[in-house]
Amino acid sequence: MSFYDIYAKHKELSSDPEIEKFSSLLSVEAESNLEEMAIKAHNLTLQNFGNTIQLYTPMYLSNYCDNQCIYCGFNIKNDVERKKLTLDEVEKEAQFISSIGLKHILILTGESREVNPVEYLKNCVRVLRKYFDSISIEVYPCTREEYAELVAEGVDGLTIYQETYNEDAYSKMHLSGPKRDFRFRLEAPERGAKAKMRNVNIGVLLGLNDWRKDVFFMGLHAKYLQDNFADVDIGVSIPRLRPQVRDFKAISEVSDKNIVQIILALRIFLPRLGISVSTRENPVFRENLLPLGVTRMSAGSSTRVGGHTIGVDEGAEQFEISDSRNVEEVKEMLRKKGYQPVLKDWLQL
């Protein structure tokens, strides 16, 4: 049974006490218990991860996209400069990022198979392996065979966001393009895990739908992956909508307090779950989230193609970032707060 089958029959899960507890942790009523939840979440995080925060940075290879997603700066209908890095430009970006100490990288493209075929991704990975010990991808959903090809080339991590688990809302947000296939995207993390990705990271884009419902299904999805792929590290990301070229407005507002509750509920529900907080959030808020269950943070980020060394015109970024600190500044902040910044925890043989 795939997760889609579980998703389609979610009402049958209401008698599961573990899932009922997770639902209660996300409820409005639980907002009065956040302090108690925070203590429990903090202790669970220490038990499973210690005082460590893994750092990584994104590298945008291309912003060509075939999809019309109304909330994204890479929307095919947006009049922005399009760019795809050559292999020489990929190497230039890699040299710079590696020089600041990071050994984990996340490579991203717009979702255009024609412009960014799997072979192009493999060629980029061959370059990146010279500089990084862990390479994750955030690209269009692939088949199991394609993921296996990328794993064989040196990719060890997959990040893919469902955006929203509400099928009706999903269809309204994705007006055209391959991304309209809700189920193919939903089952991509399973295909990646079966292809022997070392880690798989899922997420929702908070603001597209009722956040409680989206996070509930994301939690179920993460649990399903943990239960079925014990040798894969499962993580989640909880990005909120940020301004982009069309300045799409959130359908559902998500407050700082809501973000806190989300992290606490996820940590208590799944103690071994990786939880990432990106530079979409401002510096002070990111720091305040640290003791609550965060295990991974991006640093020195740019959402433009070649943004570390080349860059495209202003307005061609996927979204605006809020925390613009460089890697050294984030490392120093973590040390001052008693955390060990981890730049490498995996050796690619």
Side-chain angles (χ1 to χ4, degrees):
M1 180 181 288
S2 72
F3 180 71
Y4 183 83
D5 299 319
I6 292 175
Y7 165 80
K9 299 178 180 179
H10 69 276
K11 292 181 181 178
E12 297 177 12
L13 299 172
S14 59
S15 60
D16 186 320
E18 187 178 3
I19 292 173
E20 283 187 338
K21 180 180 177 182
F22 178 48
S23 180
S24 69
L25 291 171
L26 291 170
S27 68
V28 174
E29 292 74 18
E31 291 181 0
S32 61
N33 300 319
L34 293 187
E35 187 172 345
E36 179 182 341
M37 289 169 60
I39 294 171
K40 185 170 185 178
H42 176 68
N43 289 334
L44 286 170
T45 306
L46 287 179
Q47 291 170 19
N48 288 276
F49 298 93
N51 281 321
T52 63
I53 299 291
Q54 185 189 96
L55 296 180
Y56 72 97
T57 203
M59 177 194 289
Y60 281 77
L61 303 178
S62 169
N63 62 357
Y64 286 92
C65 193
D66 297 333
N67 298 312
Q68 190 180 356
C69 309
I70 62 177
Y71 53 83
C72 182
F74 290 175
N75 184 327
I76 191 173
K77 299 294 186 179
N78 287 351
D79 183 17
V80 297
E81 180 188 357
R82 303 289 174 171
K83 169 72 176 173
K84 172 183 174 180
L85 296 185
T86 66
L87 295 184
D88 286 342
E89 290 170 331
V90 170
E91 184 139 26
K92 185 176 180 180
E93 282 274 290
Q95 288 171 339
F96 173 81
I97 295 170
S98 178
S99 73
I100 58 180
L102 292 176
K103 296 302 176 185
H104 288 253
I105 195 164
L106 173 66
I107 57 174
L108 303 93
T109 67
E111 296 193 10
S112 174
R113 278 181 168 271
E114 181 179 358
V115 179
N116 313 306
V118 171
E119 196 60 37
Y120 170 70
L121 300 176
K122 289 161 63 177
N123 289 336
C124 291
V125 171
R126 292 186 189 109
V127 173
L128 296 170
R129 280 197 65 179
K130 296 186 290 184
Y131 300 94
F132 303 101
D133 294 295
S134 178
I135 303 169
S136 295
I137 57 168
E138 186 175 341
V139 299
Y140 45 81
C142 295
T143 65
R144 178 178 175 178
E145 293 73 23
E146 288 170 332
Y147 283 136
E149 287 182 46
L150 290 163
V151 169
E153 206 59 63
V155 172
D156 67 302
L158 168 65
T159 289
I160 186 161
Y161 297 164
Q162 190 61 27
E163 316 296 13
T164 176
Y165 284 83
N166 182 314
E167 270 191 278
D168 291 335
Y170 185 94
S171 66
K172 294 174 183 176
M173 299 295 161
H174 307 96
L175 303 183
S176 66
K179 195 171 179 177
R180 282 182 61 82
D181 191 334
F182 179 89
R183 180 167 184 168
F184 188 70
R185 191 174 193 87
L186 186 69
E187 294 180 342
E190 294 171 62
R191 297 193 296 272
K194 289 176 180 177
K196 303 302 181 183
M197 290 285 182
R198 184 177 65 90
N199 62 77
V200 172
N201 190 66
I202 61 175
V204 290
L205 185 53
L206 298 169
L208 296 185
N209 186 48
D210 182 324
W211 68 263
R212 288 186 166 88
K213 293 179 180 178
D214 268 346
V215 174
F216 175 75
F217 280 110
M218 181 180 70
L220 293 194
H221 199 176
K223 183 180 187 303
Y224 169 85
L225 293 168
Q226 283 191 346
D227 290 347
N228 287 275
F229 304 100
D231 58 340
V232 181
D233 289 333
I234 304 302
V236 299
S237 297
I238 49 170
R240 277 189 287 191
L241 278 166
R242 290 284 299 154
Q244 42 85 24
V245 68
R246 289 195 174 184
D247 198 23
F248 171 81
K249 303 298 183 185
I251 302 298
S252 173
E253 292 299 323
V254 184
S255 68
D256 288 357
K257 185 177 181 180
N258 297 152
I259 294 289
V260 168
Q261 185 174 0
I262 289 167
I263 292 175
L264 299 180
L266 287 167
R267 172 57 65 234
I268 294 169
F269 180 50
L270 297 171
R272 295 184 295 104
L273 184 71
I275 300 178
S276 301
V277 177
S278 77
T279 50
R280 288 173 180 262
E281 304 297 343
N282 69 65
V284 173
F285 188 51
R286 289 222 295 171
E287 292 176 25
N288 289 336
L289 293 175
L290 282 170
L292 307 181
V294 175
T295 62
R296 205 161 171 256
M297 300 177 76
S298 52
S301 299
S302 170
T303 64
R304 300 183 192 181
V305 178
H308 297 91
T309 59
I310 304 162
V312 296
D313 288 347
E314 185 175 356
E317 64 268 13
Q318 188 176 26
F319 56 86
E320 291 181 12
I321 64 172
S322 186
D323 185 350
S324 59
R325 290 176 295 183
N326 62 36
V327 173
E328 284 302 317
E329 290 171 326
V330 174
K331 285 166 59 179
E332 182 61 23
M333 174 274 293
L334 290 173
R335 292 192 187 102
K336 286 181 177 178
K337 290 186 171 293
Y339 289 88
Q340 177 187 351
V342 177
L343 283 74
K344 172 182 175 178
D345 69 351
W346 174 256
L347 181 61
Q348 185 78 265
L349 298 177

